[in-house]
Amino acid sequence: DVEEVRWSGLDRTDLDVAAELAGVETGRSIASVDSGAIEARLEELPWVADAAVSRSWSGVVSIDVTERPAVALVMKAQDQWVMVDATGTVLSDEIAGSGLPRISGIPAAGEPGSVLGRSASAPLVVTSLLPATLAPRLEGIARDERGEMWLTLLTADRILLGDDTQLALKLAAVVTVLEAVDQSGRTGWEMDVSVPTLPVVRDLRPEWQDNVVVQSTPELPIG
């Protein structure tokens, strides 16, 4: 008979919810425990990427859960942001505060367990490619009315990535140009790496300059 159920890997997933879904009760025959069926049911939970169930004839059922890591926030409704993983799976209901980058300019997120549309694919790729020096400075990733992607930094400076191609090369260009901008002490700027071999830094456009001190220099290609 089942004497004990041991869980591991649960962090975001509620144990009571997972246990009810697994349906493994002490006292039942260990031979009746259908590992594959339990794994499939648990993997329907939004946070669960993978579940592995094993049993021993000593009466122990072990359930090891691997949860999805949250990589970004997406708006579900006005001022309501939810966490998503790298595949675009919606992981949570409304959250209160997070250090994750916010993806905007795409259709609203659905309920936990649903998957974002194709327009979110490239911004999610950007989150996976972010260099270690850039990630802590990033506030969000947005698509504009033309479908082009922008990065917004915590300092309100902005970076135009352009279309969805050559993302790794564009982010490498961002890191190189950022080093030069940081050394110059320039503030209130926008960077254009839509052509990654010809990056340009210019003053932040007027509509984005609220509460930003602009220390300007002439527009200058950096190559």
Side-chain angles (χ1 to χ4, degrees):
D1 292 342
V2 176
E3 300 290 341
E4 182 183 2
V5 181
R6 296 177 181 172
W7 291 85
S8 62
L10 294 181
D11 180 21
R12 301 281 192 170
T13 305
D14 184 271
L15 175 58
D16 291 338
V17 172
E20 182 177 356
L21 199 59
V24 183
E25 299 176 353
T26 57
R28 67 183 288 187
S29 167
I30 194 80
S32 70
V33 175
D34 187 336
S35 300
I38 295 169
E39 291 166 356
R41 291 197 297 272
L42 290 173
E43 288 167 7
E44 293 177 358
L45 293 170
W47 281 101
V48 178
D50 181 70
V53 179
S54 60
R55 57 187 183 174
S56 69
W57 296 114
S58 62
V60 176
V61 175
S62 299
I63 304 177
D64 182 22
V65 171
T66 301
E67 293 187 326
R68 303 175 186 272
V71 300
L73 303 179
V74 175
M75 189 175 287
K76 179 179 179 180
Q78 186 65 34
D79 298 324
Q80 181 182 349
W81 295 82
V82 297
M83 288 184 281
V84 300
D85 78 343
T87 69
T89 298
V90 179
L91 303 176
S92 68
D93 287 315
E94 185 174 3
I95 62 157
S98 171
L100 297 172
R102 301 183 177 225
I103 298 176
S104 57
I106 62 172
E111 297 299 317
S114 63
V115 181
L116 301 176
R118 292 182 60 186
S119 61
S121 298
L124 289 169
V125 169
V126 171
T127 66
S128 69
L129 295 175
L130 283 173
T133 54
L134 179 59
R137 303 174 64 168
L138 183 66
E139 179 182 58
I141 306 167
R143 284 197 183 276
D144 63 18
E145 63 278 0
R146 297 182 300 175
E148 295 188 314
M149 279 191 296
W150 288 83
L151 305 183
T152 302
L153 304 188
L154 295 171
T155 54
D157 302 306
R158 303 200 179 203
I159 301 167
L160 175 61
L161 297 181
D163 62 24
D164 298 352
T165 64
Q166 297 182 293
L167 294 176
L169 188 59
K170 290 173 181 178
L171 289 170
V174 168
V175 172
T176 300
V177 178
L178 266 180
E179 291 179 358
V181 172
D182 288 345
Q183 289 176 3
S184 72
R186 184 171 183 172
T187 59
W189 50 263
E190 63 181 75
M191 182 191 305
D192 184 346
V193 293
S194 55
V195 180
T197 55
L198 296 171
V200 174
V201 178
R202 49 184 169 254
D203 287 348
L204 196 64
R205 57 195 66 183
E207 62 266 31
W208 292 342
Q209 290 182 13
D210 291 346
N211 301 319
V212 177
V213 176
V214 178
Q215 179 181 326
S216 63
T217 59
E219 181 175 311
L220 179 66
I222 299 178

